[in-house]
Amino acid sequence: MKSIDYSLVLSKRKTIAIIVKPDQTVEVRAPKRVSKKEVESFLQLKQSWVLTKLREFSLRPEVHEPKYQEGEIHYFLGEAHRIVDAIDAPLNVDTGLASIPLRSIKGVESDQIEKKFDRWYRKEALALFTERHDYWREQMAHLSLPGSHVTIRKMKRRWGSCTTKGKITFNTTLAKYPLTCIDAVVVHELCHLLEFSHNQRFYQFMSHVYPDWKACDKQLQTLSWQY
Ligand SMILES: [Zn+2]
């Protein structure tokens, strides 16, 4: 039988768990009293599941790292958009792809195009998040939300945040994703106006306003590999 490489983490937990990570490593978490033999036989029992997971991760598409040049594809609202020179924009109507029209990008260095792209993206993203924020505030009018306003910035680890003073910040990158995913994050931050912690009360509001939030969170995670 083929043996599986794994790292072992012992802790106070009560059961053994196997975690297969996207980078195709395997971690076994086990209670402190468990012997190595027990871990190995548990791993053997679950071998086919582990191998399936490993295969799944090995088949994942490469992370999309778009360049900043004419014709390159970038995502907005879950749809592929092509960077085009603003002059050519009317000609691109028939290609079937939405476009991101930027002024004077022919023969220009990619870091210059990136700056123009970022300006376009920030403007569109802010308009989008503000519109969804206003829309969902209306849907939640019966909950008498305290006041809030929207800002955006690029963030590494979060899709959004909300302060006790009602300043809601969205990750600019979130604008790449389908509207259903964006709405789940917007509602999440608005629910923080009612309940600051991620406790049961918070998730009751979430499920009341946006029953599909779990599926959307999951989709957001899956898609983050492709965009
Ligand atoms: Zn939160």
Side-chain angles (χ1 to χ4, degrees):
M1 198 176 272
K2 192 175 158 234
S3 79
I4 297 167
D5 284 330
Y6 66 93
S7 60
L8 182 61
V9 179
L10 297 174
S11 68
K12 270 188 182 165
R13 54 179 302 128
K14 290 204 173 75
T15 55
I16 305 180
I18 302 172
I19 290 125
V20 180
K21 299 184 181 177
D23 65 359
Q24 296 171 59
T25 58
V26 179
E27 186 179 292
V28 178
R29 295 182 189 166
K32 282 184 180 153
R33 56 178 170 73
V34 163
S35 70
K36 194 165 181 199
K37 207 173 152 195
E38 278 175 278
V39 169
E40 305 249 298
S41 65
F42 185 75
L43 207 56
Q44 235 163 49
L45 197 69
K46 301 283 177 188
Q47 191 183 38
S48 75
W49 176 84
V50 173
L51 293 177
T52 308
K53 276 277 162 197
L54 283 172
R55 201 177 131 71
E56 236 175 76
F57 283 125
S58 76
L59 293 175
R60 276 199 169 177
E62 297 271 316
V63 180
H64 179 60
E65 277 177 34
K67 296 180 189 72
Y68 297 92
Q69 60 192 32
E70 209 178 338
E72 190 73 12
I73 300 288
H74 287 257
Y75 281 86
F76 186 78
L77 267 175
E79 274 180 50
H81 283 57
R82 196 192 297 279
I83 294 184
V84 299
D85 192 286
I87 297 170
D88 299 338
L91 306 173
N92 269 277
V93 176
D94 291 336
T95 61
L97 273 189
S99 57
I100 298 176
L102 304 176
R103 276 172 208 275
S104 320
I105 54 169
K106 286 196 193 298
V108 171
E109 296 284 326
S110 81
D111 57 333
Q112 291 301 314
I113 299 179
E114 185 175 355
K115 276 184 196 153
K116 291 171 192 267
F117 175 88
D118 278 349
R119 271 201 296 275
W120 181 92
Y121 215 88
R122 270 191 65 84
K123 191 172 155 236
E124 296 290 326
L126 182 61
L128 170 66
F129 296 145
T130 305
E131 193 268 316
R132 297 321 288 166
H133 165 267
D134 296 351
Y135 170 82
W136 282 106
R137 278 196 67 97
E138 242 173 76
Q139 303 302 305
M140 294 166 77
H142 60 292
L143 295 167
S144 309
L145 299 182
S148 58
H149 64 281
V150 176
T151 63
I152 60 169
R153 74 184 158 89
K154 284 188 183 170
M155 294 189 270
K156 279 236 164 72
R157 289 175 209 289
R158 355 176 32 176
W159 294 118
S161 68
C162 179
T163 68
T164 46
K165 287 185 176 152
K167 178 180 161 187
I168 296 179
T169 307
F170 292 108
N171 189 337
T172 316
T173 312
L174 180 64
K176 288 180 182 180
Y177 296 87
L179 190 60
T180 48
C181 297
I182 295 172
D183 279 351
V185 177
V186 172
V187 173
H188 181 110
E189 299 313 332
L190 287 173
C191 284
H192 275 316
L193 297 171
L194 300 164
E195 173 55 60
F196 206 67
S197 314
H198 291 137
N199 56 17
Q200 207 186 355
R201 186 165 174 263
F202 174 86
Y203 288 110
Q204 271 166 6
F205 284 127
M206 240 0 250
S207 301
H208 165 65
V209 182
Y210 203 80
D212 248 3
W213 66 269
K214 258 190 200 161
C216 294
D217 278 5
K218 211 170 170 189
Q219 196 192 6
L220 198 53
Q221 241 177 21
T222 317
L223 287 174
S224 63
W225 283 86
Q226 293 164 38
Y227 296 177

